[in-house]
Amino acid sequence: MALKVSGQPAPWFTDSKFGLFLHWGLYSQTAGDWNGHPTKGGEHFMLYERIPVKTYAKIADQFNPTDFDADRWAQMAHDAGMKYLVITAKHHDGFAMYNSAVSDYNIVKRSPWAKDPMKELAAACKKYGLKLCFYYSLGRDWENPDVPTNWPVKAGRSNTWDYPDEDAKDLNKYVENKVKPQLRELLTQYGPIGIIWFDTPELITKKQSQEIKDLIHSIQPDCIINSRIGNGLGDYAVVEQSLVSTARKNWEACITMSENWGYNRHDIKWKSPELLVRNLIEVVSKGGNLLLNVGPKGDGTWPVESQENLHAIGSWMKTNGEAIYGTTVWSGVKQALHTVPSDNKATKKDKASMKDAVNDATSKEIVSDYRFTQKGKSVYLFVRSPSTATIDIPELAKSSLYIKSLTLLGSSSKVKWTQGRDGLQLSLPTVKDPEIPIYVYKIEAK
């Protein structure tokens, strides 16, 4: 089950289908190491290592991303076919990646770089037609003394090594003195914001969630909010590091390219472009958006593997994007769910819940199968990773959809197909794409 939501996302969001997630912060500078050893917990290593705030804050002394290029970041997202960009304005460590007057614990005041990357990123997103969106850790902040948590039990994810007395913590003080003022800064300093992408609501009350939602809409009425504002008050649900089995409305899957969200030099388990495009299709065919993550390095550059993956995805999207953007779940059938690879290690509860650190539960299996989307009267058939010269599609029998024309996107060659009472038989390309062997057919009905 997806997290409950009460709102409705804007049409731009449901039409976009594909966005970029950026996890960038002090954890990017350490790159998976601490005190001479590889850390546990990825970008959460401050928690796992029980690092005092004063010690952790010293990372900022070396954080000098002189190779940061906002234009290049936005261009890579645009060229990959992405329509929006979500970046960590403040993660669980409490360090603001923008110029915050609320707290000097931020990149401008604490790092030798002393610049606000969000200003340049806002301009670059505008240039390339991307919606700029901000991630904000809501119920976790390890710098602030007033933030208790209970994941999965009391004191599970709060800073108890600096601030051990959980009962003395005043969550409302944190909300009023840091959360609300910082959200006001993010919504007034960088132009139109597409989404406030919250994480970990933890002990945030319904009253606090409602007040935060009202604050956001009082400043930017068109800004949408994800389900992690808590208490069922978001506009769309978030599914983290997993794929759903049935179609649904108003949801987004956030997925990493490797194992970690933030940059980690030890992380070498990169997904292939084929697998990532399969994930995109899986999500979109079930009515959702895919938010695909990149973890920039401390110097402001992106891992080569991330860039290569995005370039390959972008080439595929240039040919096949019309079957992705602005589409809906095909009304003709409930997807061919029997072909979905499953991961038995992930429970239903896990798949919809917030995860901690390294938690990738997406299947890595590549199987021959197919999916559908729809736009108006056109139906799009995705044939994924075929292993045969022809494929039979029983869902496209004449009784379901009487086909007038069938074309392969990106090809002028005539497609060989026959449609009967039992289904559609389709001849597949004789020369397969070695990198992303996924083919999209546009079907027009009589």
Side-chain angles (χ1 to χ4, degrees), residues 424-445:
L424 170 73
Q425 186 176 78
L426 182 64
S427 295
L428 301 175
T430 54
V431 179
K432 301 291 191 293
D433 184 328
E435 190 163 38
I436 306 180
I438 299 174
Y439 309 97
V440 186
Y441 295 87
K442 183 175 184 180
I443 300 169
E444 302 288 353

Side-chain angles (χ1 to χ4, degrees), residues 44-56:
H44 298 187
F45 77 94
M46 181 184 177
L47 169 73
Y48 280 71
E49 302 278 349
R50 297 292 196 267
I51 304 170
V53 172
K54 288 183 179 179
T55 303
Y56 185 85

